[in-house]
Amino acid sequence: MKFLENTVNINSGTHNLEGVKKVGLLYKAELDKLGFATRWIEMPKEMKRAGHLYAEIKGNVGKRLLLIGHLDTVFEPDSPVQTWIRKDTVAAGPGTNDMKGGNMVVIYALKALKEAGLLKDRQVIVILHGDEESSGKPISISRKDIIEAAQRSDVALCFETGTGMDYATVARRGSSSWSLTVKGNQAHSGGIFNKSTGAGSIYEASRIIHQFYIELQEQYLTFSPGIILGGTQVIMDSTGTEGTVSGKTNIVPNTTVVKGDLRFISEEQKNRVREKMKLIVTQNLPQTEAEITFSDGIPAMSPTEGNMQVLNQFSKVSEDLGLGSVKAFDPGLRGAGDISFVAQYLDCLDGLGAMGGGAHAPSEFINLKTLRDVEKRTAVLIHRITTLGKIQNKAR
Ligand SMILES: [Zn+2]
């Protein structure tokens, strides 16, 4: 508890590079003691990220395991939320729930196994990212090491915030964005709808967005227009989050720009829906044209058969410890996360971290009473995966 308190009291907002590394080095010392080969992976200076902690033990018994956490929080040094405040069995503070509590689960489960002599000859890689809350760009550099680790592992467990003792995460939706640009003819408003003026860019943009709303809805899919600018002088800045616009009620607008988000449960869903969106965008109102472009963010972690098997194994562990069975958490209720970057390479389970609430909010807290049970379950799950698990359908 004291160790957790220490880590929470060190500010490690993603952009506080020194703080992130300081927290990382505390975990590094613990993993060194357990016999892990540890190293700090630096990111190139221009990426403005602290880097990652990477730790590994080598062996050839059971399945090869990848354990995932992160060092950073959303609370930067200028946030009013800075310190650990404990009241009975609850402690509030930055990262208590997301996810310094989860990192503790990893460290203490491994400590227990080490003391019981059960890490011998196992292959376990621990990676704690310094930039989960705002991943360094390009992703090809900031997520290179975790992808390489995944490619030589069989199962990944991630210790993001728990969603109750009876749930774990077999799927997380991916995130991506889209950008719509609509052009029309600028003319006197009194001439709108006539042959040469047509509908104008705002009507056409409205048609497209409305048709998205009517035609695209399906399970686990969301598509949200986040910002719209329409008129005769439209300037969107390079971040896509700010801009200026001017227009007049007596002028038919010539330009409308919309930027939005698209969340999906599988690559199949993402690609299929993008095709539908493109088709809607081509059915232009008179004298308008429109173009939509897409950019990828975080891939989806799909609810695969393999992930369900890991969940079933976890549920059995929980039952054996008298803690009840564990079900799959609704992926519609969970955002994208780091495990999604590796989900295509191996079987995955997430949401194994600390119980609590208020992640990313000033009220963020951890429920200390459940921590021991969460750690116990994790230790036994790691033991079973790295001992009993036979390698299936994956070449070593
Ligand atoms: Zn997190």
Side-chain angles (χ1 to χ4, degrees), residues 70 98-99 132-133 160-161 360:
H70 65 84
D98 183 13
M99 61 168 285
E132 196 271 348
E133 300 294 358
E160 285 278 18
T161 58
H360 295 200

Side-chain angles (χ1 to χ4, degrees), residues 111-315:
K111 269 182 196 264
L113 291 168
K114 172 74 179 180
E115 278 172 29
L118 296 173
L119 285 181
K120 205 170 166 287
D121 298 328
R122 301 333 194 261
Q123 181 181 310
V124 180
I125 299 171
V126 180
I127 188 156
L128 303 179
H129 278 149
D131 61 350
E132 196 271 348
E133 300 294 358
S134 174
S135 45
K137 305 288 180 302
I139 294 290
S140 57
I141 295 177
S142 65
R143 294 299 175 265
K144 173 176 158 272
D145 299 280
I146 197 173
I147 288 171
E148 280 175 9
Q151 285 170 331
R152 52 193 191 86
S153 300
D154 302 301
V155 178
L157 303 178
C158 184
F159 295 81
E160 285 278 18
T161 58
T163 47
M165 290 296 281
D166 47 355
Y167 286 101
T169 300
V170 295
R172 299 185 74 147
R173 295 191 299 157
S175 71
S176 67
S177 58
W178 49 270
S179 175
L180 174 70
T181 304
V182 182
K183 295 284 183 191
N185 289 340
Q186 181 175 338
H188 193 290
S189 59
I192 194 166
F193 312 141
N194 76 23
K195 244 198 163 97
S196 62
T197 302
S201 68
I202 290 183
Y203 266 126
E204 169 63 355
S206 309
R207 173 199 67 81
I208 291 168
I209 293 171
H210 179 64
Q211 237 168 306
F212 285 175
Y213 183 78
I214 298 297
E215 294 180 23
L216 299 182
Q217 305 219 20
E218 60 181 81
Q219 194 181 26
Y220 300 137
L221 183 79
T222 54
F223 42 94
S224 173
I227 179 169
I228 181 166
L229 299 177
T232 51
Q233 296 283 340
V234 172
I235 301 163
M236 180 77 83
D237 82 352
S238 60
T239 66
T241 60
E242 245 182 293
T244 57
V245 61
S246 59
K248 283 185 169 176
T249 54
N250 62 0
I251 303 177
V252 175
N254 58 21
T255 306
T256 300
V257 177
V258 188
K259 296 203 179 276
D261 161 279
L262 178 70
R263 301 199 174 226
F264 49 90
I265 195 71
S266 64
E267 287 300 296
E268 184 279 326
Q269 186 179 51
K270 180 188 84 180
N271 293 329
R272 183 167 45 75
V273 170
R274 282 181 177 181
E275 288 309 310
K276 276 198 201 171
M277 293 170 92
K278 280 190 213 160
L279 189 65
I280 290 170
V281 164
T282 61
Q283 297 160 2
N284 306 122
L285 292 176
Q287 301 298 336
T288 65
E289 53 189 62
E291 191 194 14
I292 191 164
T293 56
F294 301 97
S295 65
D296 285 328
I298 301 177
M301 168 186 173
S302 299
T304 61
E305 191 52 44
N307 296 359
M308 290 305 295
Q309 278 174 20
V310 183
L311 173 70
N312 291 340
Q313 196 173 12
F314 183 52
S315 184

